[in-house]
Amino acid sequence: MLLIRCPYCEEERPELEFRNAGEAHIARPTDIAAISDDDFEKFFFIRQNPKGIIYERWRHLHGCARFFNAVRDTVSDKFVMTYKAGEPKPSKLPGVSK
Amino acid sequence: MSGAFRISNAGRLTPARTARFTFDGKAYTGVEGDTLASALLANGVHLVGRSFKYHRPRGFLSAGAEEPNALVEIARDSARKTPNVRATVQELYDGLSAKSQNRWPSLSFDVGAVNDVASPFFSAGFYYKTFMWPKSAWKNLYEPNIRSAAGLGVAPDQPDPDHYSSRFAHCDVLVLGGGAAGLAAALAAAETGVRVIIADEQAEFGGALRFESGARIEGQGGWAWAQGIVAQLKAMGNVRVLSRTTAFGYYAQNFVGLVERVSEHLADPGHDVPRERLWQVRAKRVVLATGAIERHMVFADNDRPGVMLASAARTYLNHYGVAVGRNVGVYTANDSAYGAAIDLKKAGVNVAAIVDLRDNPSGTLIDQARAAGIEIHDGRAVTRVGGKLRVSSMTVQPKNGGGERTIAIDALLMSAGWTPSVHLFSQSRGKVAFNEDKRFVPGTYAQDCVSVGACNGTDGLAASMDEAYAAGTKAAKEAGGKATKVSKPKVDADEIWSRGMLGSAPGAGPDTTVKAFVDFQNDVTAKDIRQAVREGMRSIEHVKRFTTNGMATDQGKTSNMHGLAIAADMLSKPIPEVGLTTFRAPYTPVTFGAIISHARGPLFDPTRRTPMHGWAEKHGAVFEDVGQWKRAWYFPRAGEDMHAAVNRECVTVRKTAGLFDASTLGKIEVVGPDAAKFMELLYTNPWEKLEAGRCRYGIMLREDGFIYDDGVVGRLAADRFHVTTTTGGAARVMNHMEDYLQTEFPHLNVWLTSISEQWAVIAVQGPKSRDIIAPLVEGIDMSDEAMPHMSVREGKICGVPTRLFRMSFTGDRGFEVNVPADYGQAVWEALWAEGQKHGAAAYGTEAMHVLRAEKGYIIVGQDTDGTVTPNDAGLDWAVGKKKADFVGIRGLTRLDLVAKGRKQLVGLRTKDPRVVLEEGAQVVDNPNQPIPMKMIGHVTSSYWSENCGRSIALALIAGGRDRAGETLYVPMPDKVIEVEVTGMVFFDEKGERLNG
Amino acid sequence: MAKAAQKTGIVEAERHPALAGRNASAAHVTLTALEPAERISLRAPEASLAALSKALGLTLPKKPKTSTSKGGRTALWLGPDEWLVIDDAGGDLLADCAKVKQLHSAVGVSHRNVAIGVTGPGAETTLNAGCPQDLSLAAFPVGGCSRTIFGKVEIVLYRTAEDAFRVECWRSFSDYVFTFLSEAARDAAA
């Protein structure tokens, strides 16, 4: 069971309190009704599923109930960092080269 | 008398405290503190089991958890039978009853042993190669027969009457292993004041100090020192000491699973004591002090009862006061076996000879053995042993060949060296390194842990304890402990033994056909491993699977390194290039009971009951499971079957009225100045213009345009909506709404609160519904003018607050009475009493389904399946055409979703009105086409409708609405049913009854 | 209310709390179904807190895992804009909040939640049978509170004393929670 730092509760809490919510930083287009089929496909269906660093959404469902973002390494399954929903994708990751 | 082989003045048990037990029905006496193994050995019993595949007689190999042979069944009563218990671990209690396994008709005469004679046919890969054809024979012939012949214990066939408990625990430093190193680490950490947990699988702490008679610490014997430290740790408030506790799994972020055997050793555990306790420990730092496991020598017939690890024989003597024989031989490739020989000799046991594979071994222990008058044959090998059910002799030969000599013995002690226990380290995803001593030791760490002592490849007590103490101090400091005065224990004397050998010994090489066992539990010999390489296996992972070496429940604790060395030798590659298999949890077998712990019976999954459950129960309701909910399904009266009850309920609702418990519906209160804006975005319908006090049926889509949920929404005020969801959708709809609110529309000033369980909901439906409710209501004008269909009012019913909805899921005049949950039962009872005046009935979910189907009202999840759009479901009218945005708006215009020929929801009428279709049945347009037929849709809902006097059905049919009037066919195994495509409404098509 | 009932002839509905009368005790821990209380789920932005605190008569806590208590009222921080406010003294929380003009959402959940008292030296151990959080006093001090997991359901946990907790769960889960706690209490001696 992983320990996940909730940026709102400001501490690490057991994974049982959380739910993963898929890839992060995919904004719903503000003019969604007008976008092309290709753009809709990219927005709704296409995901990175990378080997290595992934930016993903989690919800502290059974805690503060907030959605937030996390950077996780899919190889080591380690969390690099977490940050609040709406904050920009971090440009630098602590402890990660490249 | 506790056994002829009990040595007076040896061991640490109290001979006067005897315990009686039986093995295979025969009565024996042991001593409290014995294991089943030591007690049997004290009585001269070595033969305890038959092997897995060849049914060879087997005895005790070890004195610990690594035991591959001595697996027995322990039975407390008919329900409490545990198979495959390691006799070397099971503590003796008065009245213990054990049975040998895998033998028929008896342990000493086992018919299955014919497999041993026929063993040339049963070599590695035999099963894969032999039982291939015909394919069908595998299931009916081969597998059942192989299964009954192979396998070890028999699982009990009754429910487990014991109970198990679980505990989450947190600590700063978790020490795994309670030998000298573990204790030193725990002491160092504990002195800094941090929270420490130390666990050891044995009943008592001390590890190898159990047998290592040469160890002296702080002026006392090693064992005595260990007991003193344990007492000291137990007295500290910041330390938890767990004996009989195995760390079985090391998971991410220092999350470690432990099983504590709480009462397995007790004669009468009592009612409240769990059998086992599962600990799920989160530690800031972990110190691994898991020690090392002695390896056996790989030579012909090394599995004879009486042939065992040298450290085991020494443990039986020094701890349990038991001699494993009267005339023992020793076969070794390292120094540690000498200690066993010397201790046994001192205890009065004859040591026939030490056979040492090494040329001219030297050192303190060798000198001591010589001084004790023990004959040492160096540079020689034991090439085979005599005896069948017990070893009777060993045949000794110079290792490079030459004259043989046979020496009579009744036990043979062996040691090929020690394998560091890196299992937990490996489970932590650490990478092992092969060191110059030919040992795999911890290399690269993946987690915040450290290995100390023998499991780290550190030889000698003094060095191990130094390392452990330093590691304990460091771990504690990293976990936030304060530096304190040092009280490092001083080692006065220790034993050092390293090196040894890997692989097969002389006489069991590639040129031989002898059975030299590598893996005792799975009956894998050196020959099998060589054969695997010959047949093309190159990776150790393939060799392992082909031979099953290391795949038994002992996970190759004694066999892995030998198997690897033999494979490497055959491949002419260095060992690290062949690679070590990965160790996985559990370290030793864990009972399902411990894993499940409390989650059984009523705690397996929550059972949710509505506030009116008790009333329904009292009135004979039959319940159905809807998710975790128990819902009243129907209310049969005397003499009624389900069909009759449902028919009566359906008719009564339309004739007078019915009461229905709708409390399980999901409910969400949406509050804030932007509540309507939010509703506009989450539902397809328009909401801004819905007046306060009015309701609307809403549809929620996913972004892909498919129906996700539906429900009636009431607007209580400009800034307050009372939203209902399906029962099954309650949690996910809330999550879906929160997701959009928090991450896509955070600018909206609105909040969501689940009120599903705040309100009990009593649906009163039918022409008399208003007459039933009105007398109990205060402050609400229920006239049609003041309160039309699809409106909501707040007031009082039975003197308590209500949110009264006028709405219908039956097509008849109807209301849903929401009251605070604790009042649900009383208000129901009051409504029931009123209803009785009008002949109303209580109805269950089945009648609810029929009534709504008569009106063509859909149930999301039954008539939709995640690929149905509002248009497909005939609900286009609920999609706001002028809206600029809502979740799913773009999905609805996808090419697939606007294409012709989509499956659409329609009604089906069977040509024979008495025939009721099966839900899920497939529909075709030509029943005479060849199989496989082209299926054009399926039945989603189907019932007998007493109100219509015929069967009714809803179905998703390709191009369904254009087929109105067409005849289609539902092929069933025994017949083809003709159906006509119709509209979805079967009853009161004009909808006049809503105000009737 | 009773008066009105007399006038209209309507018999006032009797209240049937979910765990009415249930209690259990083991060697080191006592479980009690607590009396019904008034509760609201309060949601509000930072800017409204002063006004809401004033109306409620206690300062809404702003730090995670903390609570404030005054005059029979307790406010538990559940999230950055979410509080569970409990009134054991019969006060009308919804009415108090209704006076506040600043942005907020107050929703009555008095009947949604059921409270169970877990008290005694084995309380922490009993809860840790199903709650994965570190409940040591250092990590979860007196007054500490959190929404979390107990076994397979969600609870709100509030520590009222060193050896006393209040467990809040949804009504239909209360039987599960109480039964689980009773089972766990049997093993809370160690």
Side-chain angles (χ1 to χ4, degrees):
Chain A
M1 183 170 63
L2 299 171
L3 272 181
I4 302 169
R5 184 184 163 79
C6 172
Y8 295 95
C9 293
E10 297 167 4
E11 66 173 5
E12 287 189 323
R13 297 274 280 267
E15 187 185 351
L16 290 174
E17 294 182 353
F18 296 83
R19 288 287 181 283
N20 183 284
E23 199 174 317
H25 300 294
I26 299 169
R28 185 176 186 272
T30 47
D31 58 342
I32 191 162
I35 64 173
S36 68
D37 282 343
D38 284 352
D39 286 344
F40 184 75
E41 181 192 37
K42 277 185 206 126
F43 158 69
F44 190 72
F45 293 105
I46 306 301
R47 294 295 180 268
Q48 298 289 327
N49 194 24
K51 180 179 179 182
I53 296 296
I54 186 170
Y55 295 80
E56 58 190 2
R57 304 178 332 125
W58 284 78
R59 186 179 183 203
H60 194 185
L61 180 62
H62 302 299
C64 66
R66 297 300 92 193
F67 281 85
F68 62 91
N69 293 328
V71 188
R72 187 172 60 95
D73 187 327
T74 59
V75 177
S76 69
D77 206 18
K78 278 184 181 162
F79 281 88
V80 177
M81 64 181 292
T82 57
Y83 51 102
K84 292 179 179 175
E87 287 179 3
K89 200 169 180 170
S91 52
K92 271 186 189 166
L93 298 179
V96 175
S97 53
K98 201 168 62 166
Chain B
M1 186 65 195
S2 61
F5 288 82
R6 193 80 66 176
I7 308 281
S8 54
N9 300 324
R12 305 186 180 98
L13 311 185
T14 310
R17 298 168 72 168
T18 57
R20 290 155 304 163
F21 70 102
T22 64
F23 177 63
D24 278 347
K26 197 175 165 199
Y28 297 95
T29 304
V31 179
E32 273 181 30
D34 260 331
T35 58
L36 176 59
S38 69
L40 283 168
L41 287 167
N43 286 281
V45 178
H46 278 258
L47 174 65
V48 282
R50 288 278 175 170
S51 71
F52 180 65
K53 193 158 115 185
Y54 301 130
H55 289 248
R56 285 169 67 102
R58 288 285 163 82
F60 304 98
L61 179 73
S62 74
E66 69 270 35
E67 180 61 36
N69 281 337
L71 306 182
V72 299
E73 177 187 288
I74 305 287
R76 281 187 189 265
D77 53 47
S78 60
R80 285 184 286 190
K81 276 191 270 191
T82 313
N84 302 335
V85 175
R86 287 152 292 152
T88 53
V89 171
Q90 175 65 49
E91 291 175 61
L92 195 67
Y93 54 81
D94 196 50
L96 181 145
S97 164
K99 250 170 51 179
S100 59
Q101 303 180 151
N102 205 30
R103 82 290 188 272
W104 186 83
S106 76
L107 185 54
S108 53
F109 177 74
D110 175 18
V111 168
V114 68
N115 282 4
D116 192 25
V117 181
S119 63
F121 302 110
F122 291 118
S123 63
F126 169 74
Y127 294 95
Y128 301 136
K129 287 181 279 193
T130 311
F131 299 106
M132 296 282 286
W133 313 100
K135 217 172 167 183
S136 61
W138 177 253
K139 199 174 145 206
N140 302 318
L141 179 66
Y142 301 145
E143 189 180 343
N145 280 295
I146 293 167
R147 279 201 188 280
S148 74
L152 292 165
V154 180
D157 53 7
Q158 292 182 36
D160 185 350
D162 287 319
H163 79 277
Y164 301 77
S165 71
S166 70
R167 198 82 63 83
F168 286 98
H170 296 76
C171 67
D172 297 304
V173 179
L174 172 64
V175 181
L176 300 174
L183 290 171
L187 184 66
E191 281 180 343
T192 71
V194 299
R195 287 188 291 172
V196 175
I197 295 177
I198 178 168
D200 191 89
E201 62 188 356
Q202 298 282 346
E204 290 165 286
F205 282 74
L209 298 171
R210 268 207 305 176
F211 61 82
E212 213 177 309
S213 52
R216 288 193 71 76
I217 308 167
E218 298 277 309
Q220 48 186 334
W223 180 261
W225 170 83
Q227 305 320 304
I229 294 298
V230 170
Q232 195 180 325
L233 290 171
K234 279 183 176 166
M236 297 172 85
N238 58 327
V239 183
R240 190 186 282 279
V241 178
L242 297 173
S243 59
R244 300 187 176 95
T245 302
T246 303
F248 65 83
Y250 196 133
Y251 306 96
Q253 287 169 288
N254 279 353
F255 191 63
V256 182
L258 315 173
V259 167
E260 181 183 3
R261 289 169 294 281
V262 184
S263 61
E264 284 289 85
H265 61 292
L266 301 176
D268 182 14
H271 177 65
D272 267 351
V273 184
R275 180 179 174 211
E276 293 177 326
R277 187 179 288 132
L278 175 72
W279 291 86
Q280 299 180 78
V281 181
R282 179 78 68 179
K284 289 200 182 114
R285 292 289 182 281
V286 173
V287 177
L288 295 166
T290 48
I293 293 171
E294 197 170 23
R295 290 186 302 277
H296 58 280
M297 297 293 286
V298 179
F299 62 98
D301 301 332
N302 58 346
D303 62 330
R304 282 283 172 264
V307 181
M308 66 171 65
L309 297 173
S311 61
R314 206 178 177 197
T315 302
Y316 290 123
L317 179 71
N318 291 341
H319 191 77
Y320 300 102
V322 173
V324 298
R326 302 204 193 284
N327 178 36
V328 306
V330 177
Y331 182 22
T332 187
N334 88 115
D335 289 357
S336 65
Y338 283 80
I342 294 162
D343 286 350
L344 279 159
K345 178 86 181 172
K346 278 185 191 158
V349 173
N350 186 52
V351 179
I354 297 176
V355 180
D356 195 327
L357 205 54
R358 301 172 295 182
D359 294 313
N360 303 315
S362 63
T364 323
L365 283 166
I366 287 103
D367 294 343
Q368 281 176 18
R370 279 214 179 83
I374 301 172
E375 209 176 300
I376 299 172
H377 301 284
D378 66 328
R380 284 175 167 73
V382 173
T383 52
R384 63 180 183 275
V385 293
K388 193 147 185 353
L389 299 179
R390 169 89 182 261
V391 65
S392 61
S393 67
M394 61 178 177
T395 299
V396 181
Q397 197 180 22
K399 64 182 178 190
N400 299 320
E404 286 184 350
R405 182 180 156 193
T406 297
I407 300 172
I409 50 169
D410 62 359
L412 179 57
L413 285 38
M414 55 185 170
S415 177
W418 293 78
T419 308
S421 286
V422 295
H423 307 79
L424 290 172
F425 169 79
S426 177
Q427 286 182 24
S428 80
R429 301 180 80 164
K431 293 240 181 333
V432 291
F434 198 65
N435 74 3
E436 61 279 8
D437 287 335
K438 295 196 172 180
R439 287 186 284 197
F440 278 108
V441 293
T444 314
Y445 283 86
Q447 298 201 37
D448 290 330
C449 65
V450 61
S451 298
V452 296
C455 72
N456 196 34
T458 305
D459 295 317
L461 186 58
S464 287
M465 285 183 56
D466 278 356
E467 181 177 75
Y469 197 87
T473 309
K474 184 165 176 276
K477 205 175 142 200
E478 287 166 353
K482 294 183 184 74
T484 48
K485 61 182 189 325
V486 179
S487 64
K488 190 166 83 176
K490 189 173 153 292
V491 174
D492 307 316
D494 69 350
E495 300 177 8
I496 297 177
W497 6 273
S498 56
R499 296 177 298 278
M501 70 163 305
L502 294 169
S504 57
D511 50 339
T512 67
T513 58
V514 299
K515 275 207 191 68
F517 284 90
V518 175
D519 180 332
F520 294 100
Q521 197 179 347
N522 264 354
D523 267 352
V524 180
T525 64
K527 199 181 92 185
D528 293 327
I529 291 169
R530 293 190 189 104
Q531 189 194 337
V533 175
R534 273 192 215 106
E535 298 206 7
M537 312 302 143
R538 290 294 176 269
S539 153
I540 194 64
E541 296 288 354
H542 292 155
V543 171
K544 167 180 162 175
R545 281 157 184 83
F546 191 74
T547 61
T548 71
N549 190 54
M551 287 172 71
T553 56
D554 72 331
Q555 283 205 31
K557 291 186 178 65
T558 49
S559 64
N560 277 340
M561 289 307 294
H562 282 319
L564 178 56
I566 293 165
D569 188 46
M570 281 295 284
L571 291 162
S572 304
K573 275 186 184 171
I575 283 173
E577 276 184 34
V578 181
L580 186 66
T581 55
T582 308
F583 294 104
R584 294 181 211 287
Y587 173 70
T588 50
V590 179
T591 62
F592 283 115
I595 291 171
I596 295 161
S597 65
H598 296 292
R600 50 193 291 204
L603 295 179
F604 173 68
D605 202 35
T607 300
R608 305 176 71 180
R609 295 179 182 87
T610 71
M612 288 82 92
H613 185 90
W615 186 94
E617 216 167 29
K618 223 185 315 176
H619 286 75
V622 176
F623 292 89
E624 71 166 335
D625 289 338
V626 180
Q628 292 172 327
W629 288 103
K630 291 277 177 207
R631 299 195 71 180
W633 195 11
Y634 57 97
F635 292 82
R637 290 184 181 163
E640 278 184 343
D641 61 4
M642 178 175 175
H643 189 66
V646 172
N647 285 348
R648 174 184 48 76
E649 290 170 19
C650 288
V651 169
T652 309
V653 169
R654 298 222 186 274
K655 204 172 109 199
T656 56
L659 265 66
F660 173 72
D661 181 357
S663 302
T664 62
L665 284 182
K667 300 165 215 78
I668 299 166
E669 197 153 318
V670 179
V671 181
D674 294 329
K677 268 189 201 148
F678 178 72
M679 291 298 294
E680 290 272 343
L681 285 164
L682 268 290
Y683 284 81
T684 58
N685 321 61
W687 300 96
E688 294 273 21
K689 289 184 181 154
L690 184 72
E691 288 168 35
R694 297 308 304 262
C695 303
R696 183 163 284 163
Y697 168 75
I699 297 179
M700 173 179 273
L701 305 182
R702 298 189 311 195
E703 207 70 84
D704 57 11
F706 295 133
I707 294 176
Y708 189 61
D709 203 70
D710 69 350
V712 169
V713 177
R715 189 169 197 170
L716 299 172
D719 62 351
R720 195 174 291 254
F721 289 82
H722 178 118
V723 176
T724 66
T725 75
T726 56
T727 295
R732 63 181 162 77
V733 168
M734 182 75 180
N735 190 66
H736 176 86
M737 289 169 88
E738 278 288 350
D739 192 346
Y740 276 98
L741 176 56
Q742 289 184 35
T743 67
E744 299 293 351
F745 315 128
H747 56 281
L748 296 180
N749 283 317
V750 59
W751 289 275
L752 314 171
T753 305
S754 173
I755 49 167
S756 299
E757 297 223 34
Q758 167 69 16
W759 300 97
V761 184
I762 304 159
V764 186
Q765 303 273 313
K768 299 286 181 194
S769 53
R770 182 171 55 192
D771 300 342
I772 292 170
I773 300 168
L776 304 172
V777 168
E778 294 164 85
I780 302 173
D781 181 351
M782 288 181 70
S783 66
D784 282 347
E785 300 70 40
M787 191 177 181
H789 180 58
M790 293 305 264
S791 55
V792 58
R793 298 287 179 269
E794 291 181 90
K796 279 190 173 163
I797 185 165
C798 301
V800 301
T802 183
R803 287 180 179 175
L804 181 60
F805 284 72
R806 177 159 179 203
M807 54 181 281
S808 176
F809 200 43
T810 59
D812 269 276
R813 171 189 292 277
F815 297 86
E816 290 196 356
V817 181
N818 286 250
V819 290
D822 284 354
Y823 297 120
Q825 187 190 321
V827 173
W828 174 284
E829 283 167 354
L831 287 166
W832 176 251
E834 285 297 323
Q836 291 308 286
K837 297 174 189 167
H838 301 274
Y843 66 102
T845 48
E846 187 65 20
M848 176 270 281
H849 275 91
V850 177
L851 292 165
R852 64 88 204 178
E854 288 172 353
K855 294 296 298 177
Y857 298 153
I858 67 160
I859 288 189
V860 170
Q862 174 164 345
D863 301 301
T864 71
D865 59 4
T867 65
V868 175
T869 66
N871 183 279
D872 297 341
L875 296 170
D876 238 1
W877 58 267
V879 180
K881 302 292 177 301
K882 293 178 191 157
K883 289 176 69 169
D885 195 5
F886 58 84
V887 173
I889 192 169
R890 179 59 184 83
L892 285 178
T893 61
R894 291 193 291 144
L895 290 177
D896 280 4
L897 272 61
V898 296
K900 279 220 175 310
R902 285 189 60 80
K903 285 186 183 172
Q904 294 169 327
L905 209 53
V906 293
L908 294 183
R909 280 175 207 255
T910 51
K911 293 278 165 87
D912 178 348
R914 292 165 302 171
V915 173
V916 181
L917 295 168
E918 276 192 37
E919 288 177 355
Q922 297 292 324
V923 180
V924 301
D925 55 6
N926 171 12
N928 301 314
Q929 60 185 305
I931 293 169
M933 296 187 190
K934 187 180 177 222
M935 295 172 289
I936 60 167
H938 65 276
V939 178
T940 60
S941 291
S942 174
Y943 311 92
W944 172 259
S945 164
E946 190 74 2
N947 287 317
C948 299
R950 58 156 303 122
S951 73
I952 57 169
L954 299 176
L956 278 167
I957 304 288
R961 288 199 287 272
D962 289 342
R963 293 178 188 264
E966 267 184 42
T967 298
L968 297 176
Y969 304 88
V970 178
M972 298 304 289
D974 55 340
K975 62 184 176 221
V976 172
I977 303 167
E978 274 186 72
V979 297
E980 186 196 332
V981 179
T982 69
M984 288 167 64
V985 183
F986 298 91
F987 189 84
D988 181 32
E989 277 188 59
K990 289 182 184 158
E992 290 161 342
R993 297 178 63 96
L994 282 169
N995 292 307
Chain C
M1 205 174 281
K3 249 186 225 163
Q6 272 166 9
K7 208 162 60 190
T8 56
I10 295 169
V11 179
E12 189 177 322
E14 198 183 322
R15 186 166 186 172
H16 295 285
L19 293 176
R22 289 235 342 232
N23 57 67
S25 63
H28 294 81
V29 62
T30 301
L31 307 175
T32 321
L34 299 179
E35 289 294 311
E38 288 301 305
R39 298 177 183 85
I40 54 165
S41 170
L42 181 64
R43 310 292 301 272
E46 175 87 27
S48 306
L49 298 192
L52 284 163
S53 295
K54 197 176 163 208
L56 288 166
L58 85 178
T59 310
L60 292 166
K62 294 182 189 173
K63 272 180 63 184
K65 245 166 91 172
T66 62
S67 65
T68 52
S69 221
K70 198 175 172 185
R73 277 187 182 181
T74 306
L76 310 177
W77 186 99
L78 294 188
D81 66 350
E82 181 179 1
W83 294 264
L84 175 63
V85 188
I86 305 171
D87 188 314
D88 279 317
D92 191 339
L93 296 164
L94 284 173
D96 290 345
C97 288
K99 294 174 211 147
V100 177
K101 298 281 168 271
Q102 281 84 348
L103 203 55
H104 73 277
S105 153
V107 174
V109 292
S110 306
H111 289 243
R112 182 189 74 177
N113 287 17
V114 172
I116 301 167
V118 184
T119 53
E124 188 182 313
T125 302
T126 300
L127 284 159
N128 266 144
C131 176
Q133 279 202 36
D134 185 351
L135 301 181
S136 64
L137 277 165
F140 209 103
V142 175
C145 61
S146 166
R147 191 154 40 201
T148 182
I149 283 286
F150 184 70
K152 294 182 180 178
V153 307
E154 181 180 290
I155 59 166
V156 170
L157 188 61
Y158 168 43
R159 186 173 214 143
T160 52
E162 282 199 13
D163 62 353
F165 292 85
R166 178 186 181 109
V167 175
E168 295 247 335
C169 64
W170 285 8
R171 196 179 196 281
S172 71
F173 293 116
S174 62
D175 178 51
Y176 171 88
V177 172
F178 197 93
T179 307
F180 195 154
L181 286 169
S182 312
E183 280 292 305
R186 291 166 71 188
D187 188 44

